[in-house]
Amino acid sequence: GQNIDQPTEMTATEGAIVQINCTYQTSGFNGLFWYQQHAGEAPTFLSYNVLDGLEEKGRFSSFLSRSKGYSYLLLKELQMKDSASYLCAVRDSNYQLIWGAGTKLIIKP
Amino acid sequence: KAGVTQTPRYLIKTRGQQVTLSCSPISGHRSVSWYQQTPGQGLQFLFEYFSETQRNKGNFPGRFSGRQFSNSRSEMNVSTLELGDSALYLCASSPGRRQGSNGRALYEQYFGPGTRLTVT
């Protein structure tokens, strides 16, 4: 079966750095996505990785290792508005998106 | 560009009834995907339509169906509603075709605000 694993919940302090991990087992790989979802809102796109390595976009970075079936989302200089759920999704060989259950990130002052 | 729109935003139905949800994708996008989201379950893929054809289908019973029109607007129908169908239903649109040699923006999905369905 296909599986995406992420921690259920994480807590971090405002101004700090947090790393959210995602491991996957899918039939084929055609890219990995990270989305942010605030409570009661729709998910919004954060990043896309298809090749190994680090993609940096402002305070957010995403890393991919295809051989390990592993990705992480790195959030720097945390702000209270970063409190949200972070969803990891992998597109499989059928180009279908497989979603993780999401990681709820709680930011404390 | 206007974003993805979904109607209605909220809906209350009783068991046994049927419901139709509507989604209008971003102009120019030809792919529309539907998801069910419940607390703790994450996004569960229902189906994807591209150019009026169902391209992918998730593991949901036949009570869940959909279609796409020539203008790319899509509808999702759930018949014989059950209490467990209470969820947020999200629609996402994407161009659905390769846009660049590095594949960027190829399959990025843009989500609508969702329809919150409550079955009583």
Side-chain angles (χ1 to χ4, degrees):
Chain A
Q2 308 203 86
N3 197 50
I4 308 252
D5 286 318
Q6 311 178 230
T8 303
E9 188 174 295
M10 298 181 70
T11 302
T13 304
E14 190 177 15
I17 299 173
V18 71
Q19 177 175 310
I20 303 174
N21 295 326
C22 169
T23 57
Y24 62 90
Q25 290 178 307
T26 56
S27 53
F29 178 84
N30 281 294
L32 184 144
F33 298 79
W34 283 97
Y35 279 78
Q36 180 191 59
Q37 186 177 25
H38 286 101
E41 298 182 10
T44 55
F45 171 77
L46 286 179
S47 69
Y48 169 68
N49 294 71
V50 67
L51 300 175
D52 290 350
L54 188 68
E55 293 281 344
E56 297 186 82
K57 191 185 292 185
R59 295 188 299 114
F60 293 5
S61 302
S62 57
F63 171 83
L64 173 67
S65 169
R66 289 172 295 171
S67 62
K68 295 181 179 178
Y70 167 71
S71 173
Y72 67 72
L73 180 70
L74 192 71
L75 291 74
K76 303 175 185 176
E77 301 169 14
L78 285 170
Q79 302 175 9
M80 297 303 293
K81 68 178 182 179
D82 297 329
S83 291
S85 287
Y86 291 85
L87 310 176
C88 173
V90 172
R91 194 168 285 275
D92 67 10
S93 56
N94 292 322
Y95 293 96
Q96 180 174 321
L97 272 175
I98 311 300
W99 294 81
T103 298
K104 182 178 181 181
L105 177 63
I106 299 169
I107 309 296
K108 295 185 175 180
Chain B
K1 276 187 178 178
V4 180
T5 58
Q6 290 187 248
T7 57
R9 293 292 311 278
Y10 302 92
L11 205 52
I12 299 175
K13 291 284 188 178
T14 56
R15 275 182 300 175
Q17 288 187 310
Q18 75 164 22
V19 66
T20 299
L21 312 181
S22 180
C23 171
S24 292
I26 292 172
S27 177
H29 284 192
R30 296 164 64 188
S31 169
V32 173
S33 296
W34 287 91
Y35 295 91
Q36 181 194 67
Q37 188 176 38
T38 53
Q41 289 288 322
L43 286 168
Q44 303 293 316
F45 173 72
L46 281 155
F47 25 66
E48 179 192 6
Y49 286 87
F50 179 81
S51 294
E52 301 179 67
T53 301
Q54 189 179 86
R55 189 157 71 170
N56 268 313
K57 189 177 188 304
N59 296 322
F60 276 80
R63 300 185 297 109
F64 292 81
S65 62
R67 59 178 175 169
Q68 187 180 34
F69 302 94
S70 58
N71 61 358
S72 292
R73 189 177 71 85
S74 178
E75 287 182 347
M76 191 193 92
N77 186 76
V78 188
S79 62
T80 320
L81 283 166
E82 300 176 0
L83 295 178
D85 296 333
S86 294
L88 179 67
Y89 290 88
L90 291 163
C91 160
S93 81
S94 75
R97 64 182 184 279
R98 192 166 294 279
Q99 287 195 321
S101 59
N102 61 1
R104 286 191 183 279
L106 171 59
Y107 296 114
E108 178 179 328
Q109 294 196 333
Y110 300 83
F111 284 84
T115 294
R116 186 162 295 282
L117 172 65
T118 302
V119 182
T120 62

